[in-house]
Amino acid sequence: MKVVKREQVNEYLTGFDRLSFQKNLIEWFETEKRNLPWRLDNDPYKVWVSEIMLQQTKVDTVIPYFNRFIKKFPTVEALAEAEEQEVLKAWEGLGYYSRARNLQTAVKEVVANYGSRVPKDPNTLSSLKGVGPYTKGAILSIAYDVPEPAVDGNVMRVMSRVLKIDEDIAKQKTRKLFESCIKEVISQANPSSFNQGLMELGALICTPKSPSCSLCPVQEHCAAYQQGMVEQLPVKSKNKKQKTLTYFAFVIHDKSNVLIEQRPEQGLLANLWQFPMVELSKTDLEHTQNWIKQNYGLTVKLGNELSSIKHVFSHLIWDIRVFQMEVIDGAVKEPNAKMVAKERLNQYPFPVSHQKIIQQF
């Protein structure tokens, strides 16, 4: 692991008024902070759940999910004892389902090894599945008042402008630089409000485009503002172009049941349920009935084509053509597939793309 040199940190912090910056930021946060459900009691479990949900997901989207999740799994014990399918169903629609599986795995370890108490020790906490440096810092600072950096995209954007750091924030070594800088700047007396203040500032004021500099509580400390460079920071290299995969998906049904299958235990959307799906590169529409017979043991009749579905992941795009198929004969032979009553589909966790198929048919 690359260590950030002390001289590099000092270069950005020379002449920086840390105490005044802390005071301005914390006072603003404690006056202007949003009323969010995970801020009601700073319970470490609730902070943990919220931070996992908030990864790559907007606050307004997370709030109803968080409320339902905590109502269903109010304690670490409740989440640890739940069936994985139940947890995935509660997460349905949030995406990045590995977050939910990792969270439950880590919570089981907390219950088994740490007396159901979320660890306060940084090394122990970071050893848990899915707990990276940011999540560790958020839990320790918000729930336990430990002065630990919690560096996410909002925080890097704010501090890149405040300290005029022009390193590429897409690189891991740059995140380490920000962590080192914040360790020097963070309030020892109130790390919870300090870290949350940085996050809140990035979400509400110091936004990626058209930031509201006139409303910023730390404007006087912002080197980028003083030098007219706010719009040029942060520096971030572009992501690689997403790959597009084209599929057929089939709603295979009889009078009252429909065929669904469970995805593999590993990989994308692991253990979620879906309608049978195949890449166009592996078959064509003319031969799909043979493909269904060969893979599922069912003789089917081609029905209507439904509306196509396009779903965008962070690294790829699914383009799905959807067809109805009526079962004529046969029994399901694929062990991970089964016919279920149409009214029971809502009991199974489906990815968003296949939820859209359910809504259509």
Side-chain angles (χ1 to χ4, degrees), residues 1-17:
M1 182 171 59
K2 189 165 182 174
V3 177
V4 178
K5 293 181 179 179
R6 180 76 188 187
E7 311 88 78
Q8 189 179 12
V9 175
N10 289 341
E11 176 188 339
Y12 291 111
L13 293 178
T14 299
F16 184 71
D17 190 341

Side-chain angles (χ1 to χ4, degrees), residues 53-327:
M53 286 186 169
L54 286 164
Q55 292 171 9
Q56 297 176 292
T57 310
K58 294 179 179 179
V59 168
D60 289 345
T61 301
V62 165
I63 290 173
Y65 278 96
F66 174 85
N67 287 332
R68 289 194 296 267
F69 196 89
I70 292 298
K71 185 176 182 180
K72 194 170 185 65
F73 312 113
T75 63
V76 288
E77 293 93 343
L79 182 56
E81 292 167 5
E83 294 289 333
E84 185 190 75
Q85 289 288 293
E86 191 180 10
V87 176
L88 291 175
K89 183 64 181 177
W91 205 273
E92 186 183 57
L94 264 182
Y96 302 97
Y97 292 90
S98 61
R99 296 182 296 175
R101 289 190 293 271
N102 290 344
L103 175 62
Q104 188 181 31
T105 298
V107 161
K108 286 180 179 179
E109 186 175 344
V110 167
V111 171
N113 299 334
Y114 305 112
S116 299
R117 293 180 63 84
V118 179
K120 189 176 179 179
D121 174 68
N123 292 329
T124 304
L125 187 58
S126 62
S127 72
L128 298 175
K129 186 88 170 176
V131 178
Y134 168 74
T135 305
K136 176 188 70 172
I139 294 170
L140 291 177
S141 62
I142 297 170
Y144 292 127
D145 261 332
V146 175
E148 186 80 15
V151 176
D152 68 353
N154 278 330
V155 171
M156 285 195 287
R157 183 168 60 256
V158 171
M159 295 307 293
S160 72
R161 290 168 174 169
V162 168
L163 298 177
K164 210 187 82 169
I165 297 175
D166 58 2
E167 302 283 342
D168 183 357
I169 65 170
K171 296 181 178 179
Q172 186 61 31
K173 66 176 184 179
T174 306
R175 183 178 294 268
K176 294 293 181 186
L177 171 61
F178 280 101
E179 288 174 356
S180 297
C181 288
I182 290 172
K183 277 184 180 179
E184 297 294 322
V185 175
I186 192 170
S187 168
Q188 301 295 309
N190 193 351
S192 175
S193 289
F194 179 90
N195 275 348
Q196 290 185 87
L198 285 180
M199 299 171 197
E200 197 84 334
L201 193 64
L204 301 180
I205 303 292
C206 196
T207 50
K209 295 179 181 178
S210 303
S212 303
C213 295
S214 62
L215 302 176
C216 181
V218 296
Q219 182 199 98
E220 65 182 280
H221 305 282
C222 183
Y225 177 78
Q226 310 301 336
Q227 298 177 35
M229 295 182 60
V230 172
E231 296 286 357
Q232 284 75 54
L233 295 171
V235 174
K236 184 178 182 180
S237 55
K238 293 183 179 179
N239 295 329
K240 294 179 182 178
K241 188 176 180 181
Q242 293 159 306
K243 180 181 179 181
T244 297
L245 298 178
T246 307
Y247 288 92
F248 290 130
F250 306 107
V251 180
I252 300 170
H253 62 90
D254 55 25
K255 289 183 179 179
S256 56
N257 302 299
V258 63
L259 181 67
I260 60 174
E261 63 181 357
Q262 191 169 28
R263 292 180 64 85
E265 292 183 2
Q266 304 294 327
L268 182 66
L269 305 173
N271 284 340
L272 295 183
W273 292 80
Q274 66 178 22
F275 298 101
M277 194 166 76
V278 61
E279 276 191 67
L280 264 67
S281 61
K282 296 180 181 178
T283 186
D284 55 39
L285 190 57
E286 185 179 347
H287 296 94
T288 53
Q289 289 156 290
N290 290 335
W291 180 84
I292 291 167
K293 176 69 174 177
Q294 181 180 353
N295 287 277
Y296 299 95
L298 297 174
T299 302
V300 297
K301 179 174 70 174
L302 180 63
N304 297 331
E305 181 171 6
L306 304 179
S307 297
S308 296
I309 304 292
K310 183 177 182 179
H311 188 75
V312 180
F313 297 91
S314 59
H315 59 298
L316 60 85
I317 297 170
W318 278 1
D319 198 353
I320 309 172
R321 291 183 65 187
V322 186
F323 293 87
Q324 287 188 318
M325 297 278 193
E326 184 181 350
V327 176

